[in-house]
Amino acid sequence: MTDEPTVTSAHRQRSVGTWVAVGVGVVVIVFGAIFASRFGLDPDLVASPLIGEPAPAGAMPYMESAGELSLNDLAGDIVVINFWASWCPGCRLEHEALLLAADAYRESAVTFVGILHQDRVGPGIEFLDEFGRGDAYRYVSDEGSRAGIDFGVLGLPTTFFLNRSGTIVGQVNGPVNLDILAGAINTILVGGDIDPLTETGELENR
């Protein structure tokens, strides 16, 4: 006669725990899929809820001159808004591309706005002294991070594209390059639709 294996209490508990963990995992996956399906989104890739909405119009002080800038002042222009900081490595990587694009499209009524976010003006000016300024660029400071909050910025660098009606039509999380900038701007110039969200790298936070 063959002895049947003995099932201990500890073994039963481990088995129950395993099935509970599997069950929880299945529930999480199912609810994640339902959420993504319902909203048409990849839960790991979510664009700003402001896409398709008018850009916030709060006034921001210029970094190196008197006065303030409101995005309403740029009505009729295509606007590229770049949130950056002197401590942000990705901001250094993308800076030259932003300057080149700003210069290339200056005659097409495309305005670039650099918003210094979560940083002091002094280090921001030192950054511009080292890496250069764009003649067709507006540099402003995000006092109290109000603009970043209004735009839903989660980290740096983050870039937004506005069409001529002042509507936010696209967002890039991570450093931009000249191909991304030119592709988006050219598409907006001819009235086309750009990708609402592009991710090029991890966002930095201080």
Side-chain angles (χ1 to χ4, degrees):
M1 178 176 181
T2 304
D3 293 335
E4 293 183 358
T6 302
V7 179
T8 66
S9 176
H11 184 270
R12 291 193 187 93
Q13 290 175 353
R14 284 196 298 270
S15 298
V16 171
T18 299
W19 282 108
V20 169
V22 171
V24 170
V26 170
V27 170
V28 169
I29 292 171
V30 169
F31 273 94
I34 291 172
F35 179 89
S37 174
R38 179 174 179 181
F39 292 97
L41 301 171
D42 179 339
D44 294 325
L45 191 65
V46 180
S48 167
L50 292 181
I51 298 295
E53 299 293 331
M60 298 165 285
Y62 285 105
M63 286 179 57
E64 300 182 276
S65 63
E68 295 180 324
L69 172 70
S70 169
L71 295 178
N72 284 341
D73 300 334
L74 305 177
D77 285 4
I78 293 170
V79 182
V80 180
I81 300 172
N82 177 252
F83 284 85
W84 66 283
S86 64
W87 48 262
C88 163
C91 301
R92 296 175 179 235
L93 291 175
E94 69 178 5
H95 190 71
E96 183 178 6
L98 287 162
L99 297 184
L100 290 172
D103 186 62
Y105 288 96
R106 63 186 305 176
E107 301 301 325
S108 301
V110 178
T111 300
F112 281 65
V113 177
I115 301 180
L116 184 70
H117 180 64
Q118 292 185 343
D119 201 358
R120 293 177 292 113
V121 171
I125 291 175
E126 291 175 0
F127 178 101
L128 296 177
D129 287 341
E130 180 177 357
F131 295 100
R133 294 166 174 78
D135 293 335
Y137 229 109
R138 312 284 185 94
Y139 294 103
V140 295
S141 176
D142 186 11
E143 293 187 345
S145 299
R146 289 190 293 271
I149 293 171
D150 288 344
F151 274 87
V153 172
L154 300 177
L156 300 179
T158 298
T159 302
F160 294 91
F161 297 92
L162 277 59
N163 64 18
R164 296 199 189 279
S165 66
T167 300
I168 300 173
V169 293
Q171 171 184 349
V172 178
N173 289 341
V176 294
N177 57 43
L178 201 52
D179 287 342
I180 290 173
L181 292 168
I185 294 169
N186 289 339
T187 301
I188 297 171
L189 281 170
V190 299
D193 295 327
I194 67 173
D195 290 338
L197 176 65
T198 301
E199 292 201 355
T200 63
E202 292 186 5
L203 299 175
E204 301 284 340
N205 285 287
R206 194 161 193 174

